[in-house]
């Protein structure tokens, strides 16, 4: 497929020199001036022709130009650093106004209405003609991914249009954790939460020295495609909480983390969760399979349905708050056992 030829515009290096731009550490700015690498990232996103693309943090615009060359239908870029706005405006003019430049913070950007309504596809069908791309700033990449995973789970934002795909960069270590299989040394909460919602692929590694300025680490390009059916069909907050507690004690037996989901004086609830799930208590967090996590989350959910205050329990809350939480759980457990007794009246033998 022939690439779109843009009218002559400043190269990324020229943009940096022209506007005298020096990288800002607080915005995690590591720029890609090598157009071949920018094109390689965009190629790894596969089809973009006629797509609506959203790029996070375009900076001097290398990846932006590579996206435009792919003949997408429309490109929206969101950049926090105002110094890049004039050169992005030049690019937008060259792309005949098929590009919107938004000066803002991606963490607050709502993609719910960012694309035309007619792009919406049923969740179970082929992904919509929308793609999110970004050489993400390291300092926000994990919180941003977690936020988007919550959106995927709730099918809101960019995922109110269907199973919108993403191609994103992360520090190599984070990228490897995202795709880490069961029992791998680097399997963590992020691996399970990503893989329960998305098909994840580590496309390739970019050596740190390619960036300006070069970060101390290499960078991994990851693609994420939301699954038709999540592996754990429960609310994101609940799944995230169970994973967080179990992985917090990564190398200990999983029962250790499970216990922290409940007050210390209600150990029987932790035992109930483990028993209902059928999971081996001797397994550590990273040895548990997706099926094990599914069973654990469902067992925890069952307990939360019966005793709702359990979900709000936080073993690291201030002592006074924790005491109130424990009392509420005790009250709900008592009324639960009373209603159980009401359902199963005991027989008295008076004679
Ligand atoms: N895409 C460019 C490239 O590859 O050369 C720049 C990548 S640089 C790693 C990250 C970019 O994201 C910077 O341009 C930075 O200003 C921008 N950025 C940082 N935090 C942001 C935020 N919260 N929202 C939007 N953009 C942000």
């Amino acid at each position: 497929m022939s690439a779109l030829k843009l009218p002559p515009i400043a190269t990324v290096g020229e943009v940096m020199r022209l506007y005298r731009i020096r990288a800002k550490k607080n915005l995690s700015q590591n720029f890609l001036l090598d157009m071949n690498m920018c094109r390689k990232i965009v190629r790894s996103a596969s089809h973009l022709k006629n797509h609506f693309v959203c790029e996070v943090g375009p900076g001097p615009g290398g990846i932006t130009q590579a996206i435009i060359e792919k003949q997408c239908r429309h490109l929206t870029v969101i950049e926090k650093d105002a110094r890049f706005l004039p050169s992005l405006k030049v690019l937008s003019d060259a792309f005949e106004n098929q590009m919107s430049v938004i000066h803002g913070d991606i963490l607050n950007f709502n993609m719910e209405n960012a694309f035309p309504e007619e792009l919406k596809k049923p969740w179970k069908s082929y992904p919509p003609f929308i793609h999110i791309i970004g050489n993400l700033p390291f300092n926000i990449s994990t919180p941003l991914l977690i936020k988007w995973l919550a959106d995927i789970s709730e099918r809101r934002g960019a995922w109110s249009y269907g199973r919108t795909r993403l191609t994103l960069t992360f520090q190599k270590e984070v990228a490897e954790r995202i795709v880490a299989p069961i029992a791998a040394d680097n399997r963590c909460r992020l691996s399970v939460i990503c893989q329960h919602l998305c098909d994840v692929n580590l496309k390739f590694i970019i050596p740190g020295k390619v960036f300006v300025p070069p970060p101390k680490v290499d960078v991994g390009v990851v693609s994420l495609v939301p699954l038709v059916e999540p592996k754990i069909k429960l609310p994101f907050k609940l799944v995230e909480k169970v994973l967080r507690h179990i992985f917090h004690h990564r190398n200990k037996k999983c029962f250790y983390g499970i216990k922290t989901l409940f007050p210390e004086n209600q150990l029987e609830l932790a035992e109930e969760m483990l028993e209902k799930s059928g999971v081996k208590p001797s397994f550590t967090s990273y040895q548990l399979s997706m099926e094990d996590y599914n069973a654990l989350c469902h067992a925890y959910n069952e307990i939360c349905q019966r005793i709702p205050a359990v979900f709000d329990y936080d073993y690291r809350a201030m002592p006074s708050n924790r005491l109130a939480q424990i009392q509420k759980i005790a009250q709900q457990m008592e009324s639960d056992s009373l209603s159980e007794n009401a359902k199963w009246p005991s027989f008295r033998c008076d004679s």
Side-chain angles (χ1 to χ4, degrees), residues 63-75:
I63 295 176
T64 320
Q65 289 189 29
I67 296 169
I68 295 172
E69 286 170 3
K70 280 283 193 178
Q71 304 184 18
C72 65
R73 198 160 129 213
H74 192 273
L75 172 61

Side-chain angles (χ1 to χ4, degrees), residues 154-173:
E154 309 290 334
R155 300 184 189 177
R156 61 182 182 221
W159 296 274
S160 60
Y161 291 81
R163 294 184 296 120
T164 297
R165 292 174 294 188
L166 308 108
T167 303
L168 306 169
T169 63
F170 296 90
Q171 294 183 35
K172 178 172 170 268
E173 250 184 46

Side-chain angles (χ1 to χ4, degrees), residues 6-271:
L6 284 168
I9 38 176
T11 64
V12 190
E14 283 164 354
V15 167
M16 303 281 289
R17 279 192 295 277
L18 195 65
Y19 296 96
R20 296 210 175 101
I21 292 172
R22 282 175 163 263
K24 283 185 180 169
K25 249 194 178 162
N26 65 336
L27 290 176
S28 286
Q29 292 181 335
N30 303 101
F31 303 115
L32 271 177
L33 308 188
D34 175 347
M35 275 312 289
N36 287 331
M37 192 51 81
C38 292
R39 291 190 181 107
K40 189 171 175 187
I41 294 177
V42 172
R43 261 199 318 276
S44 75
S46 65
H47 311 297
L48 291 185
K49 196 172 177 187
N50 295 329
H51 275 59
F52 278 69
V53 181
C54 177
E55 191 199 353
V56 181
I63 295 176
T64 320
Q65 289 189 29
I67 296 169
I68 295 172
E69 286 170 3
K70 280 283 193 178
Q71 304 184 18
C72 65
R73 198 160 129 213
H74 192 273
L75 172 61
T76 302
V77 298
I78 298 117
E79 175 56 64
K80 195 170 180 182
D81 188 343
R83 295 177 302 164
F84 292 113
L85 301 180
S87 59
L88 290 168
K89 171 80 173 66
V90 172
L91 209 49
S92 149
D93 291 343
F95 193 32
E96 290 167 354
N97 298 319
Q98 280 170 278
M99 175 175 156
S100 317
V101 180
I102 294 174
H103 179 212
D105 186 331
I106 188 63
L107 289 167
N108 306 324
F109 183 64
N110 181 6
M111 289 196 218
E112 196 83 39
N113 303 311
F115 311 104
E117 191 73 8
E118 67 264 21
L119 290 184
K120 289 198 169 167
K121 286 255 180 97
W123 188 261
K124 289 190 175 170
S125 78
Y126 197 75
F129 273 32
I130 303 174
H131 205 114
I132 298 173
I133 297 190
N135 174 17
L136 298 183
F138 286 162
N139 62 348
I140 61 159
S141 61
T142 306
L144 182 62
L145 180 61
I146 298 275
K147 177 180 181 286
W148 280 345
L149 290 168
D151 288 350
I152 290 173
S153 167
E154 309 290 334
R155 300 184 189 177
R156 61 182 182 221
W159 296 274
S160 60
Y161 291 81
R163 294 184 296 120
T164 297
R165 292 174 294 188
L166 308 108
T167 303
L168 306 169
T169 63
F170 296 90
Q171 294 183 35
K172 178 172 170 268
E173 250 184 46
V174 177
E176 286 172 344
R177 275 195 239 136
I178 289 173
V179 300
I182 174 174
D185 282 349
N186 54 356
R187 179 94 160 165
C188 66
R189 172 179 74 115
L190 196 59
S191 332
V192 180
I193 207 138
C194 286
Q195 294 168 28
H196 121 72
L197 288 163
C198 295
D199 187 18
V200 292
N201 257 293
L202 176 53
K203 295 288 192 173
F204 60 97
I205 301 292
I206 311 175
K209 62 175 189 237
V210 177
F211 295 85
V212 179
K216 289 198 182 89
V217 292
D218 293 341
V219 169
V221 179
V222 177
S223 80
L224 298 107
V225 183
L227 295 168
V228 171
E229 298 281 0
K231 302 265 169 68
I232 307 170
K233 287 189 202 156
L234 283 170
F236 184 83
K237 273 189 176 170
L238 185 138
V239 177
E240 195 277 332
K241 184 175 182 190
V242 171
L243 295 176
R244 181 160 31 91
H245 279 247
I246 296 178
F247 274 104
H248 190 70
H249 306 279
R250 195 173 179 284
N251 294 317
K252 295 198 169 134
K253 294 177 181 172
C254 64
F255 190 55
Y256 203 89
I258 293 171
K259 276 195 294 189
T260 62
L261 287 162
F262 306 97
E264 278 165 17
N265 64 343
Q266 305 292 2
L267 194 64
E268 71 265 28
L269 292 177
E271 284 164 352

